Amino acid sequence: MSTFEEVQQGFSMPLSEAMETQRAVRRLKQDPVDDETLLAILRLATKAPTGGNAQGWEFIAVRDPDVKHAIARLNRMSWSLARRMYAKKVNGDQKAARMLEAVQWQADHFEDSPVIIVACLHGRAFLTPMSRSSFYGSIYPAVQNLLLAARSIGLGAALTTLPLWSQTLARRTLNLPRGITPVAVIPLGWPVRGGYGPNTRKPLEEVLHLDHYGNRVFLEP
């Protein structure tokens, strides 16, 4: 079991290195995550910008086995349907197959995560695209801060929304008042193996447009 004293130097990791080596780490040990480590990464999460500086976030750190089991059950119910859709996309793609295997492993061991963070917001997202963008934009920078902080000290983490397929059941599980909306779920724990490393993404030039969509002037001729 790692302690905060052993990993806190990781916070000095260059930001670019953390970004370039950040991955979704889904295979987690059952070793505890101590309070000092948990509080340190959540403090960094709350340094993120938020709409109107409202800071309307709430974070629930779940350690109770019964509550974790209930969240895991919601996750498995959602994954049982989503898995079929993702399985169709594999089609011989080894990278996609490995990801599918990792998500399945996480689903099978969800309640074994030492701690599960549920990020919430005050209020609800309205129907218009602008209001939804504004609403979720007030929590996801904090979630990314949390993920980068976890990566810097080697703490495994992966964002998922699968357990939130039913807001009613999620609220009931977490005893949330009606004015609080659960937005993201992040299981945390020390990686079973390795965990982080150089990530692979599409070249920027393939997704960058100048002035209007389709003007890919940065692509090589």
Side-chain angles (χ1 to χ4, degrees), residues 9-22 148-149 151-153:
Q9 290 303 317
F11 286 134
S12 62
M13 175 183 287
L15 180 59
S16 60
E17 181 181 350
M19 290 177 172
E20 291 171 352
T21 59
Q22 183 185 32
L148 287 171
R151 187 275 163 270
S152 69
I153 60 174

Side-chain angles (χ1 to χ4, degrees), residues 60 62 70-79 110 116-121 135-136 139-140 143 159-174 176 180-186:
I60 302 176
V62 180
I71 296 174
R73 182 173 178 272
L74 290 174
N75 185 79
R76 280 191 280 270
M77 292 171 69
S78 181
W79 176 240
F110 209 91
I116 299 171
I117 302 297
V118 183
C120 307
L121 274 173
F135 182 76
Y136 293 113
I139 189 67
Y140 278 112
V143 172
L159 164 67
T160 182
T161 56
L162 287 173
L164 305 179
W165 64 272
S166 169
Q167 292 280 301
T168 300
L169 293 177
R171 282 195 173 91
R172 187 179 302 163
T173 297
L174 297 165
L176 294 176
I180 303 296
T181 300
V183 177
V185 178
I186 308 102

Side-chain angles (χ1 to χ4, degrees), residues 205-206 208-212 214-221:
E205 291 77 9
E206 291 185 7
L208 178 60
H209 311 258
L210 181 64
D211 297 327
H212 56 81
N215 190 23
R216 301 174 184 269
V217 298
F218 297 99
L219 278 175
E220 291 289 339

Side-chain angles (χ1 to χ4, degrees), residues 17-86:
E17 181 181 350
M19 290 177 172
E20 291 171 352
T21 59
Q22 183 185 32
R23 294 175 176 173
V25 178
R26 298 183 174 91
R27 293 182 173 92
L28 306 176
K29 297 178 182 177
Q30 297 183 42
D31 296 356
V33 175
D34 63 274
D35 285 349
E36 199 170 2
T37 299
L38 180 62
L39 293 174
I41 65 171
L42 284 171
R43 285 194 182 96
L44 290 172
T46 60
K47 299 301 181 182
T50 182
N53 195 31
Q55 302 177 49
W57 45 46
E58 304 283 349
F59 297 91
I60 302 176
V62 180
R63 282 183 165 146
D64 183 279
D66 292 336
V67 182
K68 288 196 293 183
H69 178 76
I71 296 174
R73 182 173 178 272
L74 290 174
N75 185 79
R76 280 191 280 270
M77 292 171 69
S78 181
W79 176 240
S80 66
L81 297 176
R83 177 179 55 197
R84 302 170 191 173
M85 177 183 66
Y86 282 104

